[in-house]
């Protein structure tokens, strides 16, 4: 099950588009799901993409335009007039419409909106453009079904039929009072099985009504929907007036992007990039961390040069430099990853920092003793008992420091509202490298009496 | 919006449970959402958790039991008799019920099932126990609404009413033929607005019907639901017979767990652990990678010891050892992270390995030249032009190798069906460390003519 785009198929599409073979396209492409056609358009050259797009009927054009990746979207938008964009927007959900034009120059946005014939749709889009991208307001759509609390069921069904035409997916009916304040909800199932004269008042549920505020962070919305297993969540303003709803598909995207961002940060990539981004963008996204890593390395060189005399007398000291720095880095990353994850899940409920650190320290003691014993053995065989003591004790100390810093730094970053995921990247590794070197060489000099 | 458990509140609950203060619990705890009560039960001591649980009515007990984390679930299950477990299962969705007892000893599973009074429910659970946990079969539930293709709408509504009692959330009605084969779907909205005599045949949609097979991987299911923006997806067996459905809330959990697992693997943590796991479990989960890292360090020591003569003559060579190893590690992790992510998203569509590697190599050339120039300057100031050349050329070479290996290894792992996320962890760092040392010291010896 599921369409999978191959290089061969893409070539065939490309040929069919160039030769304007509408019949082939109709049987092989237009039969596909919108999401699959969007993937094809993503991959085609800009001019071919435009030609294929022009062959679709208007409603599908809008659906596919909304599904494209940013790059392909920008290309297509550029080739459309403001009128054309406006008529596409009218066929889209309000949230997709607002996202589509949000990055255009202010002037063009105004022009596009002036061409939208449906005033209500235009108002919705203008309203949505006000919210920050990463808030509930930025995620929500204006299409939802609401019913007044004093309606009877049959009135509700009539209104529903009217409203439902523009609401693609109905999951829950939101119940509001006369001032449009959210008071509860009603499942479609419940409505379906109720007798026509029953009042919504006697049918709706208001216990544990979950809603989010327009200003709530998108990750907060994701956590709420995940925790309460919601398919959609109503969005209210500061006066508890119902202003929109967020559906789970948009939140799944938030969750995936968030996971991707954390992973990239942890890998030392500073801006969102994809396999398909240009070489220059990829280079730029990676350089900041590489430069930090390099400065760490240069600092490390400085530390070692301070012990130059010792190393030239006992060159064996240099043997274990990579082991010490690598282990400091590894332990630091492990500790920070756990803290970052528990922060991301929002379970800082019992966030006594001291408790977390002492636990990490305990783990470090267990692993540190074990690993130090092993490395003592190796260094002993390798060189001498003295080197064994130096490496063993240093490794234990470095592991302890790395564990404590690895725990502390993300907690501190979080406290100062900086994304703690930063800490899992080269930052913590670099810090532990330099610190580890200093500890190791100092202990070495002391033991060898240099 | 949203309940947040505090240490203080938990203490109050604990006191109320111990003193059997039902009135306080009713106003402060039982009013909460099931998901929130589950979090409280998770955090209480086992005996208190049991006491609180016993005060709930049976239906809520089942809902909350299904929401508990594994540890609390196991504790509670242990304190219940097989009859009690059976009666809880009857109040649960079939997928939650199967998950709950899946880890019990085979004997007890049989005993529990023999106590389930509802034969159909028992059959459903037995059926679900057959599937692997991480497949569509393991995720699906047996509660869904189906309609025969030749029914009229009013028959469908009657049947729906009958079936819907046990289906908590209805999103889509699945349409089947006489042999129970999935032929299409029907939205509740469409049914609601149809006239009673219309036949399902004339109402249902069969174009681009998305379904998954019982044996499909759970990550595949997640990708499908994300791509096609689905709230639920029907599950069919090899004969295309409809056997279950998967709802988005379960898939959100899969996505989150997957992201967590990848992040932990990348951080060198080999089994799923949480902040709350025991010190021993945490230690055990981290040791494998630390030992690999240490073996890498010992191999590194071996490499350096091969150059002992050179280092004792030019100790300055040792200065830049940490820089070389750190940069090799960082570049390798960056390259592998991008590959792992694009593999996880399933976009290996144009997976010409050569193309990916040449792109990474290009990025490496750009960053390598830049960083090597900087480090040349530092090494020159630090020591000498010779050291500058040695470090600069080595760094460039190491970056090139690291980028190529970082790209190649996850691709190879993926080809041999091993989780490519393994490659982003200490594995690639360790490999690049050893390789980098060898390159650096060899170039050093050549330049200094040692």
């Amino acid at each position: 099950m599921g369409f999978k785009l191959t290089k061969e198929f893409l070539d065939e599409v490309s040929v069919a588009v160039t030769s304007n073979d509408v019949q082939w396209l109709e049987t092989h492409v237009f039969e596909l799901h919108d999401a699959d056609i969007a993937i094809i358009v993503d991959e085609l050259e800009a001019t071919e993409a435009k030609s294929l797009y022009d062959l679709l009927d208007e409603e599908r054009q809008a659906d596919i335009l909304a599904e494209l990746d940013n790059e392909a979207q920008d290309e297509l938008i550029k080739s459309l007039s403001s009128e054309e964009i406006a008529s596409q927007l009218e066929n889209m959900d309000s949230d997709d419409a607002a996202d589509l034009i949000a990055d255009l120059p202010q002037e063009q946005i105004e022009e596009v909106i002036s061409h939208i014939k449906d005033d209500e749709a235009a108002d919705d889009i203008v309203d949505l453009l006000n919210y920050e991208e990463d808030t509930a307001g930025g995620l929500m759509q204006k299409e939802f079904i609401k019913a007044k609390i004093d309606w009877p069921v049959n009135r509700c069904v009539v209104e529903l039929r009217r409203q439902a035409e523009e609401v693609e997916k109905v999951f829950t009916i939101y119940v509001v009072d006369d001032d449009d304040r959210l008071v509860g909800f009603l499942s479609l199932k419940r409505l379906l099985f109720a007798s026509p004269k029953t009042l919504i008042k006697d049918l709706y549920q208001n216990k544990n009504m979950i809603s989010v505020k327009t200003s709530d962070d998108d990750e907060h919305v994701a956590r709420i929907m995940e925790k309460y297993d919601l398919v959609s969540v109503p969005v209210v303003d500061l006066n508890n007036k119902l202003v929109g709803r967020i559906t789970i598909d948009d939140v799944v995207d938030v969750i995936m992007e968030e996971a991707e961002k954390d992973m990239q940060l942890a890998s030392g990539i500073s801006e969102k990039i994809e396999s398909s981004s240009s070489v220059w963008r990829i280079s730029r996204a990676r350089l900041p961390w590489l430069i930090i890593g390099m400065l760490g390395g240069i600092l490390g060189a400085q530390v070692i040069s301070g012990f130059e005399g010792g190393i030239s007398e006992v060159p064996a000291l240099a043997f274990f430099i990579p082991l010490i720095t690598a282990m400091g880095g590894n332990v630091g990353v492990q500790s920070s990853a756990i803290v970052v994850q528990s922060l991301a899940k929002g379970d800082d409920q019992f966030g006594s920092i001291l408790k977390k650190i002492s636990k990490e320290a305990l783990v470090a003691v267990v692993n540190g003793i074990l690993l130090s014993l092993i490395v003592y053995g190796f260094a002993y065989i390798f060189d001498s008992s003295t080197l064994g003591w130096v490496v063993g004790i240093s490794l234990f100390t470095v592991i302890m420091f790395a564990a404590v810093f690895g725990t502390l730094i993300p907690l501190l970053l979080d406290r100062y509202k900086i994304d703690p995921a930063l800490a899992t990247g080269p930052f913590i590794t670099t810090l532990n490298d330099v610190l580890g070197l200093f500890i190791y060489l100092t202990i070495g000099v002391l033991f060898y009496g240099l």
Side-chain angles (χ1 to χ4, degrees), chain A residues 174-367:
Chain A
Y174 301 123
V175 181
V176 295
D177 66 13
D178 282 337
D179 294 327
D180 240 15
R181 289 208 183 78
L182 182 68
V183 293
F185 63 98
L186 183 61
S187 71
L188 213 52
K189 190 176 96 180
R190 236 179 143 101
L191 186 71
L192 190 64
F193 301 148
S195 78
K197 294 288 167 207
T198 315
L199 293 177
I200 300 294
K201 217 193 294 288
D202 303 319
L203 205 63
Y204 84 116
Q205 292 162 275
N206 61 3
K207 227 188 113 186
N208 294 315
M209 175 76 209
I210 312 282
S211 65
V212 295
K213 293 215 162 29
T214 48
S215 57
D216 282 344
D217 185 79
D218 58 356
E219 289 178 50
H220 172 77
V221 177
R223 277 206 290 274
I224 291 280
M225 293 189 78
E226 191 256 330
K227 179 174 167 192
Y228 296 110
D229 289 345
L230 302 176
V231 171
S232 68
V233 68
V235 184
V236 296
D237 67 10
L238 286 173
N239 292 320
N240 201 31
K241 275 197 185 150
L242 181 64
V243 292
R245 74 159 178 178
I246 297 172
T247 53
I248 186 76
D249 47 325
D250 292 325
V251 166
V252 167
D253 294 341
V254 169
I255 293 172
M256 288 189 136
E257 271 172 32
E258 198 48 38
E260 211 166 289
K261 206 187 75 191
D262 283 357
M263 190 79 177
Q264 295 202 346
L265 274 180
S267 317
I269 298 169
S270 61
E271 49 181 300
K272 190 175 158 10
I273 53 167
E274 287 172 30
S275 277
S276 60
S277 305
S278 78
V279 169
W280 298 111
R281 261 201 77 187
I282 298 181
S283 293
R284 204 183 54 198
R286 297 188 190 178
L287 265 177
W289 279 128
L290 292 180
I291 288 175
I292 290 182
M294 206 173 67
L295 293 180
I298 288 167
L299 215 62
Q302 200 109 38
V303 170
I304 301 177
S305 77
F307 295 88
E308 185 172 1
I311 290 175
S312 73
E313 249 180 88
V314 188
L317 267 180
F319 298 174
F320 288 91
I321 286 178
L323 185 136
I324 294 289
T325 55
M327 295 306 279
N330 288 349
V331 169
V333 167
Q334 288 184 337
S335 298
S336 60
I338 295 297
V339 178
V340 168
Q341 278 194 350
S342 77
L343 287 172
K345 280 197 286 186
D347 47 70
D348 52 349
Q349 291 148 1
F350 306 114
S352 132
I353 293 193
L354 221 68
K355 202 175 143 196
K356 283 219 169 79
I357 293 184
S358 23
K359 189 163 188 184
E360 278 300 322
L362 256 176
V363 173
V365 167
V366 173
N367 288 347

Side-chain angles (χ1 to χ4, degrees), chain A residues 44-276:
Chain A
L44 286 173
E45 297 297 316
T47 49
E48 291 169 7
K50 177 75 165 80
S51 310
L52 179 63
Y53 183 78
D54 286 339
L55 291 171
L56 295 160
D57 61 67
E58 207 175 57
E59 186 125 352
R60 285 197 92 182
Q61 283 183 339
D63 287 343
I64 288 164
L65 187 56
E67 296 245 13
L68 292 181
D69 67 23
N70 288 335
E71 220 173 307
Q73 231 175 32
D74 292 347
E75 281 292 339
L76 256 178
I77 288 282
K78 257 191 277 172
S79 70
L80 301 175
S81 71
S82 292
E83 273 116 318
E84 284 171 317
I85 299 176
S87 77
Q88 298 283 8
L89 296 188
E90 292 190 73
N91 285 318
M92 274 184 202
D93 281 347
S94 54
D95 54 338
D96 293 330
D99 288 346
L100 190 70
I101 60 168
D103 292 332
L104 294 178
Q106 188 58 35
E107 230 169 82
Q108 201 188 351
I109 293 182
E110 284 165 23
E111 205 186 310
V112 168
I113 287 176
S114 72
H115 286 297
I116 298 179
K117 287 172 205 101
D118 179 343
D119 283 344
E120 207 181 317
D123 287 348
D124 284 348
I125 295 172
V126 169
D127 181 44
L128 289 180
L129 286 172
N130 289 324
Y131 300 101
E132 293 292 326
E133 199 188 342
D134 55 355
T135 63
L139 274 181
M140 72 183 182
Q141 55 177 198
K142 306 294 282 186
E143 291 84 3
F144 54 86
I145 305 277
K146 68 179 176 194
K148 291 258 152 90
I149 188 162
D150 48 14
W151 286 355
V153 162
N154 52 4
R155 162 105 197 254
C156 183
V157 171
V158 171
E159 282 289 330
L160 205 60
R161 198 170 304 211
R162 203 182 58 80
Q163 293 180 31
E165 263 167 42
E166 58 185 43
V167 183
E168 195 196 345
K169 284 176 185 163
V170 179
F171 304 114
T172 306
I173 297 152
Y174 301 123
V175 181
V176 295
D177 66 13
D178 282 337
D179 294 327
D180 240 15
R181 289 208 183 78
L182 182 68
V183 293
F185 63 98
L186 183 61
S187 71
L188 213 52
K189 190 176 96 180
R190 236 179 143 101
L191 186 71
L192 190 64
F193 301 148
S195 78
K197 294 288 167 207
T198 315
L199 293 177
I200 300 294
K201 217 193 294 288
D202 303 319
L203 205 63
Y204 84 116
Q205 292 162 275
N206 61 3
K207 227 188 113 186
N208 294 315
M209 175 76 209
I210 312 282
S211 65
V212 295
K213 293 215 162 29
T214 48
S215 57
D216 282 344
D217 185 79
D218 58 356
E219 289 178 50
H220 172 77
V221 177
R223 277 206 290 274
I224 291 280
M225 293 189 78
E226 191 256 330
K227 179 174 167 192
Y228 296 110
D229 289 345
L230 302 176
V231 171
S232 68
V233 68
V235 184
V236 296
D237 67 10
L238 286 173
N239 292 320
N240 201 31
K241 275 197 185 150
L242 181 64
V243 292
R245 74 159 178 178
I246 297 172
T247 53
I248 186 76
D249 47 325
D250 292 325
V251 166
V252 167
D253 294 341
V254 169
I255 293 172
M256 288 189 136
E257 271 172 32
E258 198 48 38
E260 211 166 289
K261 206 187 75 191
D262 283 357
M263 190 79 177
Q264 295 202 346
L265 274 180
S267 317
I269 298 169
S270 61
E271 49 181 300
K272 190 175 158 10
I273 53 167
E274 287 172 30
S275 277
S276 60

